[in-house]
Amino acid sequence: MRPPYLLLDIDGILIPFPDAEGAGPATHTRHDVVPTGRSADDPVAIWLNPAHGPLLTHVIRTGLVAPVWCTSWRQDASTLIGPLLSLPSLPYVDLPHPQITTSHPNGYLWKRDHVDAWLGDTPAIWIDDDFTSLDHEWARERTASGQATALVQPDPHVGLLAEHLVEVLAWAALLPIARADASCVSCEAGAG
């Protein structure tokens, strides 16, 4: 069976919001990138924590979740951000380019309706810094209807911490799919 999706945002997660001087945390390294549609003479400065690459690689290798970028960076997540962290190319949710002035135009995260349609009935754990109480209610409702859903919300000025990924793996390990797959691996190992 397919493992649950790990939906991964970038801004506020891998790229924490800058401080008052425009810099990222001391744990992060500055990179200049040129997103799709932007001129090479007008790069965007981003700060990434090099420790995130090995942490995310470990999560990927467990096989407990299937990582997917869920960010306004869209395909640039795999072509610009992922390589800077030595991550493999990952699929992404092809989010639209909304004409909005707030990330919560309907009281909840603008991505949510698109993510809900994209997920179908697949379980998911979503890491984003911008959820509202309505997003948490949506996750509870999906879970109650049989599609296990969890939200992880790091502080956008700090970003992703190892403890968030521990939470992801602990959640995924408790799903019946993960337990059934682990039992099968144990059976095969004992049969050899």
Side-chain angles (χ1 to χ4, degrees):
M1 300 213 80
R2 167 186 289 181
Y5 286 117
L6 166 58
L7 302 174
L8 189 61
D9 186 27
I10 291 180
D11 292 318
I13 304 301
L14 297 180
I15 304 172
F17 295 165
D19 61 21
E21 287 78 42
T27 54
H28 290 57
T29 305
R30 180 189 166 128
H31 302 273
D32 290 326
V33 297
V34 181
T36 300
R38 197 165 182 120
S39 170
D41 60 349
D42 188 23
V44 173
I46 62 170
W47 284 262
L48 295 171
N49 183 341
H52 284 156
L55 289 170
L56 288 167
T57 297
H58 169 73
V59 169
I60 293 167
R61 287 184 178 155
T62 68
L64 290 173
V65 292
V68 176
W69 295 116
C70 186
T71 172
S72 57
W73 285 84
R74 297 167 188 82
Q75 75 276 4
D76 286 343
S78 273
T79 59
L80 297 178
I81 307 302
L84 292 171
L85 295 171
S86 299
L87 294 174
S89 181
L90 301 174
Y92 64 95
V93 177
D94 194 13
L95 297 168
H97 297 274
Q99 300 300 312
I100 56 177
T101 57
T102 174
S103 58
H104 309 109
N106 298 309
Y108 55 87
L109 184 58
W110 70 272
K111 302 174 192 176
R112 196 184 83 199
D113 290 334
H114 308 287
V115 166
D116 193 39
W118 187 87
L119 285 173
D121 62 358
T122 305
I125 188 162
W126 187 358
I127 301 176
D128 200 298
D129 64 295
D130 210 10
F131 297 122
T132 71
S133 60
L134 293 177
D135 297 306
H136 290 278
E137 181 180 320
W138 166 80
R140 284 189 297 276
E141 289 172 0
R142 275 191 102 237
T143 298
S145 67
Q147 298 101 24
T149 304
L151 305 179
V152 178
Q153 190 166 2
D155 178 327
H157 296 282
V158 176
L160 186 69
L161 299 173
E163 63 202 45
H164 297 123
L165 297 175
V166 168
E167 182 180 344
V168 166
L169 294 177
W171 174 85
L174 292 175
L175 294 180
I177 296 169
R179 287 198 311 263
D181 288 347
S183 296
C184 292
V185 170
S186 299
C187 294
E188 291 171 8

